[in-house]
Amino acid sequence: QSVLTQPPSASGTPGQRVTISCSGSSSNIGSNTVNWYQQFPGTAPKLLIYSNNQRPSGVPDRFSGSKSGTSASLAISGLQSEDEADYYCATWSDSLNGWVFGGGTKLTVL
Amino acid sequence: EVQLVESGGGLIQPGGSLRLSCAASGFTFRSYLMHWVRQAPGKGLEWVSRIISDGSSATYADSVKGRFTISRDNAKNTLYLQMDSLRAEDTAVYYCTRGGGHSDWGQGTLVTVSS
């Protein structure tokens, strides 16, 4: 059972906008910034969003992040087939004194 | 270009020990906090440990506290993870990551704990 809660799956058709939620508590998301990672099968995760809503260079602006209270969201607009991957949220937990990850969301492009 | 290359994984019996290494290049290693993150087969990501830039302080997940030790050699640009008293549930791909927000990841090294 992960400290951060994500839906196990999400789906959309090409061109659609999809959002993935990440729910936490006051000791993690509520008091720290959130990162999002993208992982393709058999490969290492890649940083997609940092500090709630910042994109590293090279990440398309179709990807955006937001945070409100103890929850965060990743939005993907103009969905493309190559976006099919697993997505993880993560943040620091003050109570656990360590990083915590969501359980991951498998995104399927129909 | 930032490169992180893990090594040292393999098959080990329960109760055994293993030391993982992560060779870093393409950035000023001694300036960065570093982590180990693992992923059990077919499962999600789990943070394992972090060490600050000068190596003087480290933090561990409860699941590995007292069994794993993170360290670094800034002269060799290398991060380590000493894993003792290994259990079946430690079976995973182990990644080293750079910086407070895990901005860069290595390709991972597989550790399999089984008799």
Side-chain angles (χ1 to χ4, degrees):
Chain A
Q1 193 80 347
S2 302
V3 172
L4 304 181
T5 301
Q6 296 181 234
S9 63
S11 63
T13 56
Q16 257 190 336
R17 183 176 187 270
V18 169
T19 61
I20 297 172
S21 62
C22 176
S23 177
S25 69
S26 58
S27 68
N28 45 63
I29 292 178
S31 48
N32 295 288
T33 60
V34 177
N35 292 355
W36 290 89
Y37 304 88
Q38 178 189 55
Q39 185 180 33
F40 297 105
T43 69
K46 167 193 157 186
L47 179 64
L48 197 63
I49 297 287
Y50 67 96
S51 296
N52 302 329
N53 54 19
Q54 302 299 302
R55 284 185 308 276
S57 96
V59 173
D61 59 6
R62 303 186 295 103
F63 294 90
S64 62
S66 64
K67 180 186 126 172
S68 178
T70 59
S71 294
S73 290
L74 172 71
I76 309 171
S77 59
L79 196 62
Q80 300 180 2
S81 58
E82 53 262 40
D83 298 333
E84 191 162 284
D86 293 326
Y87 293 86
Y88 294 90
C89 59
T91 188
W92 179 261
S93 168
D94 294 336
S95 60
L96 296 175
N97 199 32
W99 275 80
V100 289
F101 285 87
T105 298
K106 182 176 182 60
L107 175 64
T108 301
V109 181
L110 302 169
Chain B
E1 178 196 3
V2 171
Q3 280 206 319
L4 300 169
V5 180
E6 301 93 338
S7 61
L11 175 63
I12 187 77
Q13 291 191 336
S17 297
L18 211 55
R19 188 176 85 153
L20 306 183
S21 299
C22 170
S25 61
F27 65 100
T28 307
F29 179 73
R30 65 179 180 272
S31 298
Y32 283 85
L33 178 152
M34 298 291 293
H35 306 259
W36 287 98
V37 175
R38 68 185 181 183
Q39 186 170 35
K43 302 296 185 183
L45 301 170
E46 180 189 16
W47 174 79
V48 172
S49 179
R50 74 168 186 180
I51 187 167
I52 67 171
S53 57
D54 67 2
S56 63
S57 176
T59 315
Y60 299 90
D62 286 345
S63 58
V64 307
K65 203 172 291 183
R67 301 187 300 120
F68 289 12
T69 303
I70 191 172
S71 63
R72 63 193 296 161
D73 185 335
N74 286 345
K76 294 183 178 180
N77 290 344
T78 303
L79 176 72
Y80 302 101
L81 185 68
Q82 177 67 40
M83 304 187 295
D84 299 319
S85 303
L86 282 161
R87 306 167 180 167
E89 54 264 37
D90 295 318
T91 294
V93 174
Y94 285 73
Y95 297 101
C96 63
T97 74
R98 180 179 79 126
H102 313 282
S103 59
D104 298 277
W105 297 61
Q107 86 288 349
T109 187
L110 176 62
V111 173
T112 303
V113 185
S114 174
S115 53

